[in-house]
Amino acid sequence: MIIKNGKIFQEEGAFAEGNLYVEGDRIVKEAEGEVIDATGLYVIPGLTDVHFHGCVGYDFCDGTPEALNVMAEYQLKNGVTAICPASMTFDEERLVKIFANAASYKSETGSDLVGINMEGPFISMAKKGAQNGAYIHKPDAEMFRRLQKAANGLIKLCDIAPEEDENMECIEKISGDVRVSIAHTTADYDTAMQAFEKGASHVTHLYNAMPPYTHRAPGVIGAACDTEKVMVEMIIDGVHSHPATVRTTFKMFGDDRIVMISDSMMACGLDDGQYTLGGQDVTVRGNLATLTEGGNIAGSVTNLMNCVRTAVKKMNIPLTSAVKCAAVNPAKAIGTFDQYGSLAVGKKADIVLLDENLDIKYVIKDGKIV
């Protein structure tokens, strides 16, 4: 396959007009075959969502092959070619079943399942957000290892609130085996800095479920900004953060350290109504999902490609930066950048072609138009 005369995304963050060649399921230096005229189109790598819970009526925590199939097909249709779905806060027995289901899953017609984001249960009750407080558990390295065994090594992110001494000990014990993310936390600046020193290197949905950044108390946000190795997630859906906050965050962290996520729940792709998340009732109206009891924001109802569009069209983030944050950086964060996240020779031919309005014209998965 030859994708001809397109605006080809470069992984350092630029577009260059030219051709892209595909042979089999790989990007190559030269090839022959079907020609796609990409004149006027942006040619970008398929996106990777490292934090979403569900879509089109299904949830990762349903723990069924059917749920994974339907979600993977929806994501692929929307240009997200690799997925790392997030779990909710449940007891160990249920998490084992959820993770074992993911470990045995192979997609035939959807996005590749490349990891698991273990968002619960090692979080703070005070900042649980839409997580179920009944199942919150103190961070436990041995429990994590049992869950990782059930997942057959698929857990790529493990969320921990680092406030207590034993929590720091857990971070130190597991950070060599998984990327530890500070999440759902009351940690102040010094506590967060200590967690980063112990091995944490990621922050879950920046600004949400953590103390705010202020001039005398910079908290997790300030500590993350001060620590170059740390990547931070952002939900850029027009609900979770004000456009000015998004622009400020790009100035603070740069587009090398921001990981765009959707944090979508099962209502994504469906109409307004009543849904569930982590066993709790959720009300969806427009672009806003909230717990029916309590009113906390309960994830988003948008997909990652729509987050890219929102960032570019409504928040004045350059398209090159948005693509870096939705394709390159997520793959780097979860250790899949050798296969995914860019259009470099030798990588999987997972490619999306967008028109000037950022509408999808083609999705190519494993070298085939889908």
Side-chain angles (χ1 to χ4, degrees), residues 180-195:
V180 174
S181 186
I182 293 181
H184 290 273
T185 178
T186 62
D188 59 14
Y189 176 90
D190 291 337
T191 303
M193 287 298 288
Q194 186 182 356

Side-chain angles (χ1 to χ4, degrees), residues 30-355:
E30 295 283 344
E32 296 181 354
E34 179 182 4
V35 175
I36 295 177
D37 182 4
T39 302
L41 301 181
Y42 296 106
V43 183
I44 68 171
L47 309 185
T48 297
D49 197 344
V50 302
H51 188 154
F52 80 102
H53 295 279
C55 49
V56 286
Y58 290 88
D59 191 290
F60 175 61
C61 289
D62 292 344
T64 67
E66 179 187 9
L68 294 178
N69 270 326
V70 174
M71 292 193 298
E73 288 175 0
Y74 170 84
Q75 296 289 2
L76 182 59
K77 173 182 161 186
N78 286 282
V80 182
T81 56
I83 55 174
C84 177
S87 59
M88 293 293 289
T89 296
F90 286 113
D91 60 86
E92 183 174 353
E93 183 180 2
R94 180 160 179 185
L95 289 173
V96 163
K97 292 176 182 176
I98 293 164
F99 294 169
N101 177 62
S104 63
Y105 176 72
K106 269 286 188 204
S107 174
E108 298 291 335
T109 56
S111 306
D112 291 344
L113 197 158
V114 296
I116 294 169
N117 182 337
M118 185 174 149
E119 189 174 4
F122 302 154
I123 60 174
S124 159
M125 182 68 76
K127 290 290 184 180
K128 63 184 176 64
Q131 301 282 338
N132 192 332
Y135 299 110
I136 288 174
H137 196 289
K138 68 179 182 180
D140 181 334
E142 292 309 312
M143 178 178 169
F144 166 76
R145 292 188 179 114
R146 291 192 297 270
L147 291 169
Q148 184 69 293
K149 184 177 180 181
N152 196 26
L154 261 184
I155 302 173
K156 305 296 185 184
L157 289 162
C158 179
D159 290 8
I160 293 180
E163 290 87 309
E164 306 297 331
D165 289 343
E166 59 192 7
N167 301 15
M168 292 290 184
E169 182 181 342
C170 183
I171 290 171
E172 197 166 27
K173 284 181 177 179
I174 70 173
S175 59
D177 302 319
V178 69
R179 190 176 185 95
V180 174
S181 186
I182 293 181
H184 290 273
T185 178
T186 62
D188 59 14
Y189 176 90
D190 291 337
T191 303
M193 287 298 288
Q194 186 182 356
F196 294 140
E197 289 164 7
K198 295 289 186 182
S201 58
H202 198 88
V203 177
T204 296
H205 44 49
L206 194 72
Y207 301 110
N208 297 281
M210 65 186 63
Y213 177 95
T214 70
H215 62 300
R216 291 195 182 94
V220 173
I221 300 157
C225 191
D226 278 351
T227 310
E228 286 295 321
K229 71 175 182 177
V230 174
M231 284 183 157
V232 297
E233 298 175 358
M234 281 204 81
I235 311 165
I236 306 181
D237 64 344
V239 172
H240 283 78
S241 293
H242 189 280
T245 302
V246 173
R247 290 189 290 272
T248 299
T249 306
F250 271 82
K251 292 172 184 175
M252 290 171 64
F253 288 89
D255 62 11
D256 289 325
R257 296 174 58 197
I258 294 172
V259 175
M260 198 183 299
I261 62 169
S262 72
D263 198 16
S264 68
M265 48 84 69
M266 65 163 57
C268 176
L270 299 176
D271 295 329
D272 291 1
Q274 294 297 124
Y275 299 91
T276 61
L277 179 65
Q280 300 181 93
D281 292 334
V282 174
T283 301
V284 173
R285 293 189 181 93
N287 208 28
L288 179 64
T290 56
L291 289 183
T292 304
E293 184 177 339
N296 287 343
I297 292 179
S300 85
V301 290
T302 193
N303 61 62
L304 189 58
M305 187 62 79
N306 276 334
C307 290
V308 169
R309 295 185 184 105
T310 297
V312 175
K313 293 182 173 185
K314 297 183 179 180
M315 301 183 178
N316 297 322
I317 301 302
L319 179 59
T320 50
S321 293
V323 174
K324 279 183 75 173
C325 295
V328 177
N329 299 348
K332 287 182 175 179
I334 63 170
T336 59
F337 192 61
D338 60 330
Q339 299 290 319
Y340 300 87
S342 81
L343 302 176
V345 169
K347 292 197 178 183
K348 284 172 65 73
D350 294 351
I351 306 161
V352 181
L353 278 65
L354 305 173
D355 65 16

